Amino acid sequence: MKLDPNSRLGSAVLSLAGHLVRLLLLGIGATLRLEIIGGQERLRVLQETPEPVILSFWHERTFISAHFLYHQLHRRGFDITLLASLSRDGEMVTRMVRTWGIETVRGSASRGGRKALRAIHRAITRRGSSPIMIPDGPRGPAHAFKVGVAVLAQTTSAPILPLGFAAQKCWRLRSWDRLIVPKPFSRVAVVVGEPQKVDASLNSEELDATRIHLEEVLNDVTARAERAFE
């Protein structure tokens, strides 16, 4: 049965699902051993002088990233805005992070994209908020850096901050991205990459070359995190 998220039953089911995922995140997160293996100084600067950046990591690392983003940034007063799709999953995530006081903007490349990007643009330029922009979301292809994130960096002057995450022990779901869920008491490695500025004067061809470079950078920080457990 397909539930209408706007119906009373659908709304209740989504709220319950969001609550359960939140408890799972908190439960597993409380046992994880977080290790910043690269970019410690960049993280310190971020915590002490929170200029807006565009937080980027691959979709498969979303679950792993939550513990880091919440404890190392959000709880320290760092203003974060989350871009969530207009799907039922996006609605569930929106309800979940709302309990943490994190603002959300709804939309994706396929639905509501322009409106969402305008809202994210305002969050950066007016509030100084740092958006979470997952460049291969919400439906892939996996590890393909979409140009919209580069355009946002270009038009706001906010640098893209590439983040690499890896879990020593994990499960992989059978989703399109093979989502990684760290096992309880696992070590989690984090690499905070070099902020990437996108020049406002780039033409479309140069912007595509920049997109490819950003994809390589994000793959590199992710691989560095993975190598911590080889």
Side-chain angles (χ1 to χ4, degrees):
M1 181 178 67
K2 189 174 181 179
L3 292 174
D4 179 1
N6 296 316
S7 69
R8 183 173 297 180
L9 176 60
S11 179
V13 170
L14 286 172
S15 292
L16 177 61
H19 181 64
L20 291 175
V21 172
R22 177 174 174 268
L23 290 177
L24 182 64
L25 281 168
L26 290 173
I28 293 179
T31 72
L32 299 178
R33 291 172 289 166
L34 200 68
E35 301 173 7
I36 313 298
I37 65 166
Q40 294 93 334
E41 181 61 23
R42 295 184 198 115
L43 176 59
R44 186 189 66 78
V45 171
L46 208 62
Q47 291 168 338
E48 294 180 359
T49 56
E51 293 295 321
V53 295
I54 299 170
L55 303 160
S56 288
F57 44 88
W58 294 130
H59 200 280
E60 66 184 2
R61 314 277 159 164
T62 303
F63 196 106
I64 309 179
S65 72
H67 185 65
F68 168 82
L69 295 171
Y70 182 66
H71 289 280
Q72 295 296 320
L73 295 178
H74 180 66
R75 287 191 63 181
R76 296 169 184 255
F78 194 82
D79 191 326
I80 294 175
T81 298
L82 173 68
L83 177 64
S85 70
L86 292 170
S87 66
R88 284 177 295 172
D89 288 348
E91 179 66 22
M92 182 187 70
V93 169
T94 296
R95 295 178 187 222
M96 179 183 71
V97 302
R98 188 180 294 153
T99 64
W100 290 331
I102 294 176
E103 295 289 333
T104 58
V105 168
R106 303 297 302 278
S108 66
S110 56
R111 295 173 60 200
R114 291 185 179 180
K115 183 179 178 181
L117 282 177
R118 286 196 297 268
I120 290 290
H121 190 285
R122 289 194 297 271
I124 296 171
T125 57
R126 297 182 186 180
R127 287 190 7 237
S129 184
S130 293
I132 298 171
M133 298 292 290
I134 301 176
D136 60 344
R139 294 295 177 187
H143 295 190
F145 202 106
K146 294 177 181 174
V147 73
V149 181
V151 171
L152 184 66
Q154 184 184 42
T155 57
T156 61
S157 297
I160 296 169
L161 187 71
L163 297 168
F165 300 97
Q168 181 187 27
K169 298 178 181 179
C170 67
W171 296 286
R172 274 193 178 263
L173 305 188
R174 294 182 178 179
S175 53
W176 68 265
D177 62 344
R178 302 286 291 155
L179 182 72
I180 296 170
V181 178
K183 293 183 177 181
F185 303 100
S186 177
R187 293 164 56 206
V188 170
V190 182
V191 175
V192 181
E194 185 76 35
Q196 304 290 309
K197 298 281 285 186
V198 179
D199 197 306
S201 66
L202 297 184
N203 59 35
S204 59
E205 186 176 324
E206 292 167 332
L207 192 60
D208 189 59
T210 297
R211 178 195 64 79
I212 294 170
H213 169 70
L214 292 167
E215 187 174 291
E216 293 170 348
V217 169
L218 197 49
N219 280 330
D220 178 64
V221 295
T222 303
R224 286 169 59 193
E226 290 283 357
R227 286 196 293 271
F229 304 122
E230 291 180 350

